[in-house]
Amino acid sequence: MDRNEIARRRAKRRKAARRRHLLVGFVAFLIIALAVFIALSLTVLFPIKNVSYGGSKVYTAEQLENGMKIKGENIFTVSAKKIVSSSRPDFPYIGNVKIKRQLPDSLTVEITDATEHSAYFFNNKYYIVDKDGYVLKEDIILPKNLVIIKVKKAKFSIGKQIEFSDKSVESSIKKIYKHLNENDIKINSIDATDKAYYTAEILDGRFTVEFGSKNDLDKKIKHLSAMIKRIDSNVSGTIDLTCWSESNPTGILEKSQNKVS
């Protein structure tokens, strides 16, 4: 191979190497530029300038506009979950939120109001909560058409979920509520002030039900449902299920002192 051929090949290799370096540099530049654009898009660029509100029957659009402070937020980083969590302390009746982005700077917020589910009686006050246990309001007046739940130890803050000092109490309340509803038994109140002895008022006060411990609540309530169907409609009283067990599936209607199996 003569010297000229060797020189040509070296020149060709150098040219290919320069092209590779240019390509690598160009790709690196694009990556950096894209990263900068994304960073700016999530921070400085695309601030929300226009917000429209709808759906709520509890709050007016003006109240939401003045209280939510969504304007100025980045249109890409704002989320329905973030809006709900940040707004609940001031707007506790906000249940769910759906958002729709209109680039570059507009947002539509559609609100579904929370509904009153039950009322917890604690320290001589009633705390109205939604189905997820978020506190909607407090009152000293007995609420109508809500299940009253009595507890001994819990923390209630408007716009936040109830904080139980004992999670087993929370779980037992949910089980009693769930299984009574599943058996079409109307609930008036649940007393959970003694975690070793749960009771409930049912059927517009017709019966007081003593469940006792949290054990076998689902089976106790299934047994309760069967008992009620066999009791005359003009009879009321206290139904004792505290001694119920799978080996002794018995409830006692205390008014008549009759044992019903």
Side-chain angles (χ1 to χ4, degrees), residues 210-258:
E210 298 176 345
F211 294 109
S213 74
K214 64 183 180 180
N215 298 331
D216 297 318
L217 283 170
D218 56 338
K219 296 174 183 177
K220 288 177 181 178
I221 291 171
K222 187 176 181 179
H223 186 96
L224 171 67
S225 178
M227 284 184 66
I228 291 171
K229 292 174 183 176
R230 298 197 298 271
I231 299 173
D232 291 339
S233 60
N234 61 342
V235 174
S236 61
T238 299
I239 296 176
D240 186 351
L241 295 169
T242 56
C243 294
W244 191 99
S245 67
E246 294 201 60
S247 60
N248 180 38
T250 301
I252 300 172
L253 177 61
E254 291 190 348
K255 181 177 180 181
S256 62
Q257 296 298 312
N258 292 328

Side-chain angles (χ1 to χ4, degrees), residues 27-61:
V27 171
F29 170 78
L30 285 179
I31 292 172
I32 293 170
L34 181 60
V36 170
F37 177 75
I38 292 173
L40 291 174
S41 296
L42 298 178
T43 53
V44 180
L45 302 179
F46 300 106
I48 298 170
K49 296 179 180 178
N50 304 295
V51 185
S52 59
Y53 298 91
S56 178
K57 294 178 175 60
V58 178
Y59 307 112
T60 65

Side-chain angles (χ1 to χ4, degrees), residues 7-22:
R8 280 196 301 269
R9 291 188 179 187
R10 286 177 178 174
K12 187 176 180 180
R13 286 197 295 269
R14 286 196 295 269
K15 187 176 181 180
R18 283 197 299 270
R19 286 177 178 174
R20 285 196 298 272
H21 292 154
L22 287 172

Side-chain angles (χ1 to χ4, degrees), residues 92-232:
Y93 274 85
I94 290 179
N96 292 307
V97 165
K98 290 183 179 179
I99 62 174
K100 184 178 180 181
R101 299 175 177 87
Q102 293 98 32
L103 294 176
D105 56 14
S106 297
L107 192 75
T108 298
V109 180
E110 191 70 19
I111 294 168
T112 301
D113 294 325
T115 55
E116 296 179 354
H117 179 265
S118 53
Y120 280 76
F121 185 68
F122 177 75
N123 281 351
N124 297 317
K125 288 183 180 179
Y126 295 95
Y127 293 90
I128 316 302
V129 304
D130 70 3
K131 63 181 179 62
D132 296 317
Y134 283 93
V135 182
L136 305 177
K137 67 177 181 180
E138 64 178 62
D139 207 331
I140 60 172
I141 300 173
L142 177 67
K144 295 180 180 180
N145 303 318
L146 292 178
V147 176
I148 308 301
I149 303 173
K150 299 177 182 179
V151 292
K152 188 175 182 180
K153 294 181 180 180
K155 182 179 179 180
F156 298 87
S157 301
I158 303 298
K160 296 183 179 181
Q161 284 183 305
I162 306 168
E163 296 181 27
F164 289 86
S165 57
D166 188 334
K167 290 294 183 180
S168 69
V169 173
E170 178 184 16
S171 174
S172 298
I173 291 171
K174 288 181 177 179
K175 285 180 181 179
I176 293 172
Y177 199 102
K178 174 178 180 287
H179 293 301
L180 286 174
N181 275 311
E182 285 179 348
N183 286 275
D184 295 320
I185 300 173
K186 182 180 178 182
I187 317 165
N188 299 108
S189 67
I190 298 170
D191 190 333
T193 52
D194 183 349
K195 67 179 182 179
Y197 203 89
Y198 293 93
T199 65
E201 297 285 336
I202 62 171
L203 302 176
D204 295 321
R206 181 182 168 197
F207 295 111
T208 297
V209 183
E210 298 176 345
F211 294 109
S213 74
K214 64 183 180 180
N215 298 331
D216 297 318
L217 283 170
D218 56 338
K219 296 174 183 177
K220 288 177 181 178
I221 291 171
K222 187 176 181 179
H223 186 96
L224 171 67
S225 178
M227 284 184 66
I228 291 171
K229 292 174 183 176
R230 298 197 298 271
I231 299 173
D232 291 339

Side-chain angles (χ1 to χ4, degrees), residues 53-88:
Y53 298 91
S56 178
K57 294 178 175 60
V58 178
Y59 307 112
T60 65
E62 183 179 6
Q63 287 176 314
L64 296 167
E65 173 77 22
N66 293 333
M68 280 196 165
K69 310 297 183 186
I70 295 176
K71 285 185 179 180
E73 293 281 336
N74 184 274
I75 199 168
F76 291 114
T77 59
V78 70
S79 67
K81 184 177 180 180
K82 181 179 177 181
I83 290 173
V84 172
S85 63
S86 63
S87 301
R88 265 198 173 122

